[in-house]
Amino acid sequence: MPNSNAKLHSNHRGGREAGRRELVSRSLQSAQHCLENQDFGTAYAHYLLVLNLAPELKTSVKETFQYTLFKWAEELDSLARIQDLFNCYEQALELYPNDEVICNSMGEHLFRMGFRDEAAGYFHKAVKLNPDFADAKENFYRVANWLVERWHFIMLNDAKRNLTYLKAIENAVHSGSKSVLDIGTGTGILSMFAKKAGASFVYACELSKTMYELACDVVAANNMEREIKLLHLKSLDIEIPKHVPERVSLVVTETVDAGLFGEGIVESLIHAWEHLLLQPK
């Protein structure tokens, strides 16, 4: 009797597996037929079914799936079905989370719609996944030109200005300021000055996603990713002890420029003084 039950279960599993294979095969045929008829939406739905039922086929159908996704996304874009377009890319990235081609394509759609900061994130991810991906690198540099103000490059190459900041930070740290908060860190240069000067704890916040990710790369390239805590936050949103364990003894910032009031730097500095900076006794 036990052998009979085991055989019954085995036959049942075999029947389910045969049914799965048959459904996958028919869906692949239907998807191909839809592509031939340029019915990209239905073809995309069939490929989603196939990849969910048979994840072992991800590699073999990858290029065809990408083609189908991109053609369907073009249709959705032309019909202004933006949420449906984003949903398709989210589904695709769940199936292929480390696919640089899909990431780059998503970034291109976001960029055309005006979401430049978000687009930069996808281009950046695509380049990280494949540093030799020329299209993604070109897209990332293009969007960076929109997001990274020209004065960043001027400041970074102003040796006299940088040396002045370095000496001021060194003096403050050597005078006892061992915990530092860098508001609007940009590339992270002031945070690295503080750490090299001997600060025990360095925190840096940056609101721009593009500049935050750039700072992460710069800090990592200088082997300081474990010594500087980078926060993708507006300084007004920093909370103690959620983001910073306690009040810091020094606040540094390089955000004072022509956008003084537009950037809200006055409010940021007041907030830092009242809530994040140690008060003199």
Side-chain angles (χ1 to χ4, degrees):
M1 192 70 173
N3 289 337
S4 183
N5 287 335
K7 186 176 180 180
L8 183 63
H9 286 300
S10 177
N11 289 338
H12 182 62
R13 285 195 300 271
R16 282 192 302 178
E17 178 58 23
R20 183 186 74 92
R21 287 198 300 268
E22 177 66 18
L23 182 55
V24 167
S25 177
R26 288 188 177 185
S27 292
L28 282 172
Q29 292 174 9
S30 296
Q32 189 60 43
H33 178 72
C34 290
L35 285 179
E36 291 170 0
N37 291 294
Q38 297 190 339
D39 183 359
F40 300 112
T42 307
Y44 176 75
H46 279 299
Y47 277 118
L48 280 185
L49 177 62
V50 167
L51 290 169
N52 279 286
L53 286 175
E56 67 272 13
L57 297 179
K58 280 185 179 180
T59 301
S60 61
V61 304
K62 180 178 176 179
E63 289 187 11
T64 311
F65 174 76
Q66 288 174 342
Y67 171 79
T68 306
L69 167 67
F70 301 155
K71 297 300 286 187
W72 178 225
E74 286 177 10
E75 279 193 30
L76 292 172
D77 195 6
S78 67
L79 295 169
R81 292 171 56 184
I82 306 306
Q83 190 55 57
D84 288 334
L85 185 153
F86 287 151
N87 288 342
C88 285
Y89 273 96
E90 287 177 4
Q91 292 166 339
L93 286 170
E94 284 180 7
L95 292 166
Y96 296 97
N98 296 316
D99 188 286
E100 69 274 19
V101 179
I102 295 177
C103 286
N104 183 64
S105 180
M106 175 66 159
E108 289 175 338
H109 281 286
L110 287 166
F111 184 78
R112 285 196 294 270
M113 293 173 192
F115 300 108
R116 292 171 184 151
D117 213 18
E118 293 81 356
Y122 281 97
F123 293 145
H124 183 259
K125 182 178 180 181
V127 173
K128 295 271 279 188
L129 289 168
N130 182 2
D132 297 323
F133 189 8
D135 286 350
K137 285 198 289 187
E138 182 180 342
N139 284 332
F140 182 69
Y141 295 144
R142 179 168 53 128
V143 76
N145 284 331
W146 286 90
L147 296 172
V148 181
E149 300 289 348
R150 292 295 177 188
W151 49 262
H152 270 289
F153 302 106
I154 297 172
M155 287 195 318
L156 288 172
N157 288 282
D158 188 339
K160 184 177 179 180
R161 177 189 177 97
N162 292 338
L163 184 59
T164 301
Y165 268 103
L166 174 61
K167 288 182 177 178
I169 291 171
E170 284 179 340
N171 289 338
V173 172
H174 295 163
S175 298
S177 297
K178 295 300 183 183
S179 56
V180 180
L181 171 64
D182 179 6
I183 295 178
T185 192
T187 58
I189 188 171
L190 299 188
S191 296
M192 292 187 290
F193 284 171
K195 195 61 198 177
K196 286 182 177 180
S200 302
F201 306 99
V202 180
Y203 311 95
C205 65
E206 175 57 55
L207 181 59
S208 165
K209 190 173 192 293
T210 301
M211 293 307 299
Y212 165 77
E213 291 180 345
L214 179 59
C216 289
D217 286 345
V218 172
V219 168
N222 285 273
N223 299 314
M224 291 187 181
E225 66 269 30
R226 295 184 179 180
E227 301 174 329
I228 297 173
K229 183 177 180 180
L230 289 159
L231 303 166
H232 181 211
L233 287 172
K234 189 175 182 180
S235 62
L236 296 172
D237 295 330
I238 296 177
E239 299 177 15
I240 297 174
K242 182 178 179 180
H243 304 113
V244 177
E246 58 186 6
R247 291 184 176 220
V248 298
S249 50
L250 176 67
V251 170
V252 297
T253 186
E254 208 172 5
T255 51
V256 182
D257 72 316
L260 176 65
F261 297 101
E263 293 296 328
I265 187 60
V266 173
E267 291 84 352
S268 296
L269 291 175
I270 291 173
H271 173 75
W273 173 257
E274 293 179 343
H275 302 287
L276 304 173
L277 189 63
L278 285 170
Q279 302 295 314
K281 296 180 179 179

